[in-house]
């Protein structure tokens, strides 16, 4: 490594903690310390450590509990557990939870040095990424939608419930969240899966071209129509038609779409004969269609025809626990595509991925990993291969008028106002508010509870 490895020592015994910090600093490591498991969790979320050396028995939060939270936050960080002879069973439990190794107290310095060197070696990264690969496989089993976070679990349950029906589904969500993947999964789990899924990007075509694309046209219907052409509705007969970016359709096309959905009939452009079609409709948009209805920009009757069942795809910032799985999935895909042998990510690279708010959602993550794979020269993607500026936070907004009067107020009141103002700026998103405040989500929840606010 170009810079000295950064280690976190966690021990509630001040004397032992100081001794270890002095010894490891002499060995060439940069050292940070924590006196209990809870403090260690906050430290790991605030700083990208290369290794954690942690005691099992601590008064406030024990090492095993802290280990679980640390591995949930960043599974690439190796953790060495320290334990006394009387708690070897705890050490075994730690290994099962994800610890790299355990050391018996009083520590043997040679054994400590060897364990640390091994933990920082590529071997520990290979093992961690095999675990990620296994999780990725289980997370995708059956549904085709990767992710184990609570938000994605709820989405997959909804997809599994709705897919076998004939209901029209409106898929909403920010750009890049994976709405088309949800549509493809709905089709693959439906009774129509043996028939085609036809996708149309409504925003990519002019009104005239979109009408021809959807309904087809007769020969001579317009300049360049040198032959009759079947439209997407006919191509999707007995199957599924996915109308992406439905919010961009013009008012005139909205009326024609409404008729096709209500009557289950279409007419080719330039033709007079009506054709019956049996098509299940899935539509997607990153726009607030209800707001467009209220503004008179989208037909209310078409909105309700499309919105029989609504599925909202959460942004990546609300399912940050899925970032390691998605990153590993994209790494394997692009490594194969580019004929590279990559095993995974360094702890620093994974920490950078976890910190970034991903305004472009899954698509932004995918592009970042593709770039990193192309630039990677070793077996592991490092933070230098990731796009510049990744993980940087959004600059603070200008202070509001309510923050001006500070004189004479207690620190507790100021802290309360700062937390509530940040939560309000984040639209009630606790994960984003905690990130901006530099505290854990659990700490934020405790603060809000003490204020009598449920968020």
């Amino acid at each position: 490594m170009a810079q000295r490895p950064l280690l976190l020592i966690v021990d509630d015994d001040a004397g032992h903690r100081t001794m270890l910090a002095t010894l490891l600093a002499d060995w060439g490591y940069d050292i940070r310390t924590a006196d209990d498991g809870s403090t260690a969790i906050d430290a790991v979320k605030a700083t990208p450590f290369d290794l954690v050396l942690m005691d099992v028995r601590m008064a406030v939060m024990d090492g095993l509990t802290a280990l679980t939270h640390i591995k949930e936050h960043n599974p690439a960080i190796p953790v060495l557990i320290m334990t006394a002879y009387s708690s070897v069973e705890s050490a075994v439990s730690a290994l099962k939870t994800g610890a790299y190794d355990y050391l018996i107290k009083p520590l043997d310095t040679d054994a400590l040095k060897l364990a640390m060197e091994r933990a920082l070696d590529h071997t520990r990264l290979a093992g961690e990424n095999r675990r990620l690969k296994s999780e990725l496989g289980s997370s995708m089993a059956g549904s085709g939608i990767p992710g184990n976070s609570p938000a994605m679990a709820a989405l997959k349950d909804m997809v599994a419930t709705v897919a076998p029906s004939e209901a029209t589904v409106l898929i909403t969500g920010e750009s890049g969240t994976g709405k088309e993947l949800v549509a493809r999964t709905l089709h693959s789990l439906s009774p129509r899966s043996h028939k085609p899924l036809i996708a149309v990007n409504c925003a990519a075509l002019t009104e005239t071209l979109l009408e021809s694309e959807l309904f087809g046209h007769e020969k001579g219907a317009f300049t360049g129509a040198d032959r009759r052409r079947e439209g997407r509705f006919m191509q999707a007969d007995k199957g599924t038609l996915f109308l992406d970016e439905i919010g961009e359709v013009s008012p005139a096309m909205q009326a024609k779409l409404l008729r096709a959905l209500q009557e289950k009939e279409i007419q080719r452009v330039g033709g007079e004969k009506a054709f019956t079609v049996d098509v299940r409709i899935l539509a997607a948009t990153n726009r607030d269609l209800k707001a467009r209805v209220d503004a008179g920009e989208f037909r209310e009757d078409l909105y309700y025809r499309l919105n029989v069942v609504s599925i909202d795809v959460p942004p990546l910032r609300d399912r940050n626990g899925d970032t390691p799985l998605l990153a590993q999935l994209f790494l394997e895909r692009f490594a194969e595509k580019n004929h590279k042998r990559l095993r995974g990510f360094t702890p620093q690279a994974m920490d950078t991925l976890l910190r970034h708010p991903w305004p472009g959602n899954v698509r932004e993550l995918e592009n970042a990993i593709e770039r990193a794979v192309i630039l990677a020269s070793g077996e592991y993607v490092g933070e230098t291969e990731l796009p510049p500026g990744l993980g940087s936070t959004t600059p603070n907004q200008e202070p509001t008028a309510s923050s001006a009067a500070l004189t004479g107020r207690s620190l507790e009141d100021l802290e309360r106002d700062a937390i509530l103002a940040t939560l309000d700026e984040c639209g009630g998103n606790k994960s984003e508010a905690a990130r901006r405040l530099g505290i854990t989500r659990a700490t934020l929840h405790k603060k809000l509870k003490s204020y009598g606010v449920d968020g």
Side-chain angles (χ1 to χ4, degrees):
M1 295 183 184
Q3 59 185 15
R4 303 202 306 176
L6 180 60
L7 273 60
L8 177 64
I9 299 172
V10 189
D11 197 329
D12 62 354
D13 185 330
H16 194 254
R17 188 171 66 245
T18 302
M19 180 274 293
L20 280 176
T22 303
L23 175 65
L24 271 54
D26 288 342
W27 287 353
Y29 297 108
D30 281 337
I31 304 300
R32 303 288 186 275
T33 61
D35 58 4
D36 72 85
S38 178
T39 307
I41 295 168
D42 290 339
V44 167
K45 291 184 176 181
T47 305
F49 289 99
D50 295 286
L51 185 143
V52 176
L53 180 62
M54 183 161 55
D55 194 20
V56 169
R57 292 188 175 181
M58 292 181 287
V60 179
M61 179 185 286
D62 65 89
L64 295 184
T65 303
L67 171 66
T68 300
H69 290 290
I70 289 172
K71 302 303 283 188
E72 286 177 352
H73 171 70
N74 187 346
I77 297 179
V79 180
L80 293 176
I81 290 293
M82 300 180 291
T83 181
Y85 282 106
S86 59
S87 57
V88 172
E89 287 186 4
S90 296
V92 174
S93 297
L95 292 177
K96 293 180 179 179
T97 305
Y100 177 74
D101 203 349
Y102 69 91
L103 300 163
I104 302 295
K105 284 185 173 183
L107 299 179
D108 178 278
T109 55
D110 290 335
L112 173 61
K113 179 178 286 189
L114 180 61
M116 290 173 57
E117 289 173 350
R118 286 177 175 172
L120 291 168
D121 189 75
H122 282 171
T123 304
R124 61 95 164 75
L125 286 170
E128 197 56 54
N129 281 281
R130 280 196 298 270
R131 188 182 69 80
L132 270 177
K133 184 175 180 180
S134 174
E135 287 186 10
L136 178 61
S138 63
S139 75
M140 295 183 67
S143 73
I145 303 174
N148 287 328
S149 64
M152 291 306 290
L155 182 142
K156 287 192 278 189
D157 285 345
M158 185 68 167
V159 167
T161 301
V162 174
S165 73
E166 290 292 311
T168 301
V169 181
L170 179 63
I171 307 168
T172 60
E174 295 177 9
S175 179
T177 51
K179 297 186 289 296
E180 183 170 351
L181 177 59
V182 171
R184 294 189 178 281
T185 305
L186 283 166
H187 174 72
S188 67
L189 297 179
S190 76
R192 296 174 177 262
S193 60
H194 63 291
K195 293 294 184 178
L197 167 69
I198 304 297
V200 179
N201 186 338
C202 299
L205 301 169
T206 64
E207 180 179 325
T208 301
L209 289 176
L210 181 58
E211 183 178 6
S212 172
E213 185 76 10
L214 290 175
F215 306 130
H217 60 256
E218 297 288 353
K219 181 179 179 180
F222 51 82
T223 302
D226 55 354
R227 59 186 178 85
R228 190 175 68 185
R229 181 181 183 277
E230 298 290 1
R232 298 297 189 177
F233 268 91
M234 291 296 290
Q235 294 174 19
D237 192 39
K238 301 295 190 297
T240 305
L241 180 62
F242 174 48
L243 302 175
D244 198 8
E245 302 295 351
I246 190 66
E248 309 306 317
V249 174
S250 69
M253 271 304 301
Q254 291 176 31
K256 294 173 182 178
L257 265 177
L258 178 63
R259 181 181 183 281
L261 298 184
Q262 287 179 331
E263 306 299 329
K264 299 188 183 301
E265 288 184 348
I266 57 103
Q267 272 185 294
R268 299 190 188 104
V269 177
E272 298 180 356
K273 183 180 179 181
F275 297 90
T276 301
V277 288
D278 176 14
V279 174
R280 183 189 189 183
I281 299 294
L282 306 177
T285 182
N286 59 10
R287 306 283 294 271
D288 186 343
L289 284 193
K290 187 62 173 67
R292 296 203 69 197
V293 169
D294 295 339
E297 298 171 348
F298 199 88
R299 293 182 63 109
E300 186 175 29
D301 45 7
L302 178 58
Y303 170 72
Y304 287 114
R305 176 68 64 176
L306 294 171
N307 194 29
V308 176
V309 177
S310 178
I311 295 180
D312 186 60
V313 186
L316 187 54
R317 62 179 174 273
D318 288 347
R319 46 184 172 117
N320 196 43
D322 292 332
T323 300
L325 297 178
L326 291 167
Q328 186 67 21
L329 166 67
F330 295 140
L331 181 138
E332 293 172 3
R333 177 189 300 172
F334 292 122
E336 181 179 359
K337 178 181 177 181
N338 291 279
H339 310 291
K340 289 198 169 186
R341 304 188 70 175
L342 293 172
R343 298 188 179 187
F345 302 87
T346 65
Q348 296 91 342
M350 182 58 71
D351 187 86
T352 298
L353 295 176
L354 288 166
R355 289 174 188 281
H356 189 60
W358 301 111
N361 293 296
V362 178
R363 186 182 296 125
E364 182 189 1
L365 173 63
E366 181 178 11
N367 293 339
I369 301 305
E370 182 175 17
R371 176 190 190 275
V373 168
I374 292 171
L375 297 179
S377 56
E379 291 183 307
Y380 297 90
V381 168
E383 57 184 339
T384 56
E385 283 89 49
L386 296 173
L390 206 67
S392 60
T393 57
T394 304
N396 292 331
Q397 298 181 359
E398 291 296 320
T400 60
S402 62
S403 65
L406 302 178
T407 306
R409 304 182 63 196
S410 68
L411 289 175
E412 290 80 3
D413 287 343
L414 294 175
E415 180 188 67
R416 180 183 187 277
D417 288 350
I419 288 175
L420 295 179
T422 302
L423 186 64
D424 184 59
E425 287 178 4
C426 296
N429 186 320
K430 294 181 182 178
S431 297
E432 176 64 13
R435 184 187 68 79
R436 292 191 188 182
L437 291 165
I439 60 178
T440 66
R441 197 177 188 279
T443 300
L444 176 61
H445 180 73
K446 291 178 183 177
K447 295 286 186 183
L448 293 175
K449 187 176 181 180
S450 70
Y451 304 150
V453 177
D454 63 5

